[in-house]
Amino acid sequence: MYEDATSCILAALDRLEAGIGSFRDHLTTTRSDIMERIAGLQKIVTAIQDDIAVNMGAVGAARQANDETRVDLRQMREQMSVMWRQLKAVQARVDEIDGRR
């Protein structure tokens, strides 16, 4: 009776050991698959980060161009104002010479 119980227990342990070996194989495969997927996702995240960096650089360049345009317009407005005053002075002088005033 004890021999039958011992044989059953040993057979169960052998099956358990075989199952654990198979489980380890599946675990290794699963781990490998997960690591491959993580590596793929990391590549995607890196590509997204690169796109963001490029876009932020483009935004920065556009913002700088916009700021420079504002400065240029301000300078042009000042120059036009000076020229307008000079033109008005010349017009007043011409009117004075022609006797329109």
Side-chain angles (χ1 to χ4, degrees), residues 26-82:
H26 288 298
L27 185 62
T28 301
T29 302
T30 303
R31 182 180 181 280
S32 177
D33 290 345
I34 289 171
M35 294 304 291
E36 285 178 25
R37 289 181 182 173
I38 288 172
L41 290 173
Q42 184 60 46
K43 287 178 185 177
I44 292 169
V45 168
T46 301
I48 290 170
Q49 288 173 333
D50 291 345
D51 287 345
I52 289 170
V54 167
N55 289 334
M56 292 304 278
V59 167
R63 182 174 291 138
Q64 183 178 359
N66 186 30
D67 292 343
E68 289 174 3
T69 301
R70 287 183 186 158
V71 170
D72 290 345
L73 286 174
R74 191 174 305 120
Q75 290 172 346
M76 189 183 329
R77 183 175 59 231
E78 290 171 6
Q79 290 172 353
M80 294 295 290
S81 178
V82 169

Side-chain angles (χ1 to χ4, degrees), residues 10-31:
L10 289 175
L13 287 175
D14 286 341
R15 288 191 307 274
L16 181 62
E17 185 178 0
I20 288 174
S22 175
F23 176 74
R24 285 179 183 162
D25 291 342
H26 288 298
L27 185 62
T28 301
T29 302
T30 303
R31 182 180 181 280

